Amino acid sequence: MTENNAATTNSGRVAIVTGGSKGIGRAASARLGREGYSVVIGYGGSKDGAEQAAKDVEQAGGRAIAVQADVADETGVAALFDRAEQEFGGIDVVVNSAGIMPLAPLAELDLEVFDRIVRTNLRGTFVVDQQAVRRVRNGGAIVNISSSLTRLARPAYSAYAASKGGVEAITLILARELRGRDITVNAVAPGPTATSLFLDGKPQELIDRIAAEPPLERLGQASDIAEIIAFLAGPARWINGQVIYANGGSIA
């Protein structure tokens, strides 16, 4: 299928992407725009980044708006979904990409930071998925973002990996709760990916060492993950209730 034909096929489809102002969420938004989607860029604090992400979608061939919402606040998330329906007429795809990753050994992590990680990564996914279940049209898809760290088990990532383990549990159960509806629910679990979430605060020596670990000997790119998200959002109708580990071969 050519890009032009893909855009025509998907021109009526609407996606909400949380965490869409940067990183994987921004790349996924632009990739869906290339497929002809109308995209609602959900963002927490980066208005400028979200507005630029919306421009990326439009330049790729889709339509887009940016809407602020705290993913852990049910009222704000409901308003985000309301806006998508008002602007574009419905919702077909929800990509749950909002997340934070403060790092510290378990014994040293401030519990307030732990609560913030759980609030954004785990509660945020739960709240957004609740609205998605109620609003996504038949033929749609819910794509949650987990992490290969649930299996890589690196020191200092205990809180982050625990929150993402919860995301995987939500994903697998929700897929089964939607029996009888034509809606798929999957999670993508990236390995180390060259976004600010991974790169910020790490010395170059550590980044280089981690980049050399997979057989492909590089970090993932946000565009690598966006391709998988776009596949799960549209053509991958027979993939359901799965966690897709996207890490260049670091783990199976």
Side-chain angles (χ1 to χ4, degrees):
M1 180 178 287
T2 66
E3 281 186 21
N4 287 340
N5 286 340
T8 300
T9 300
N10 293 309
S11 60
R13 284 172 74 82
V14 179
I16 293 175
V17 181
T18 69
S21 65
K22 57 186 176 181
I24 290 170
R26 181 167 172 175
S29 298
R31 183 65 183 82
L32 292 172
R34 207 169 94 200
E35 295 288 327
Y37 280 75
S38 298
V39 183
V40 178
I41 309 289
Y43 69 96
S46 180
K47 182 179 181 180
D48 290 346
E51 290 177 348
Q52 184 56 56
K55 291 178 183 177
D56 292 346
V57 173
E58 291 169 350
Q59 289 171 359
R63 297 188 296 165
I65 57 171
V67 180
Q68 195 279 334
D70 174 358
V71 291
D73 174 51
E74 61 271 32
T75 302
V77 169
L80 170 67
F81 277 71
D82 287 343
R83 183 74 186 282
E85 291 174 336
Q86 292 160 5
E87 196 77 21
F88 298 124
I91 302 159
D92 301 285
V93 172
V94 173
V95 180
N96 246 316
S97 187
I100 61 173
M101 192 172 64
L103 302 179
L106 185 148
E108 300 171 14
L109 185 69
D110 190 300
L111 288 177
E112 289 186 3
V113 175
F114 177 84
D115 289 343
R116 187 158 55 89
I117 293 169
V118 170
R119 184 180 187 277
T120 299
N121 297 356
L122 185 54
R123 177 186 167 95
T125 296
F126 196 96
V127 169
V128 172
D129 279 358
Q130 274 194 332
Q131 288 296 322
V133 167
R134 297 166 184 169
R135 313 234 202 166
V136 168
R137 297 183 284 207
N138 285 349
I142 299 169
V143 183
N144 295 326
I145 304 300
S146 178
S147 171
S148 288
L149 285 160
T150 60
R151 298 176 67 182
L152 286 168
R154 293 188 190 279
Y157 287 86
S158 60
Y160 179 76
S163 72
K164 292 301 188 177
V167 167
E168 293 185 6
I170 289 170
T171 301
L172 302 184
I173 292 169
L174 182 56
R176 287 147 182 84
E177 290 180 347
L178 291 182
R179 174 178 293 275
R181 296 179 62 185
D182 183 19
I183 297 172
T184 62
V185 188
N186 294 288
V188 180
T193 305
T195 66
S196 59
L197 187 70
F198 171 76
L199 295 171
D200 288 355
K202 290 185 175 66
Q204 190 61 46
E205 180 275 331
L206 177 60
I207 293 170
D208 292 344
R209 179 154 48 86
I210 293 173
E213 290 178 353
L216 297 178
E217 294 187 329
R218 67 173 176 85
L219 295 176
Q221 299 297 314
S223 58
D224 294 322
I225 311 305
E227 287 293 334
I228 301 166
I229 292 170
F231 181 58
L232 293 174
R237 301 309 301 167
W238 200 234
I239 300 177
N240 190 27
Q242 305 297 318
V243 179
I244 310 298
Y245 293 94
N247 51 56
S250 296
I251 56 173

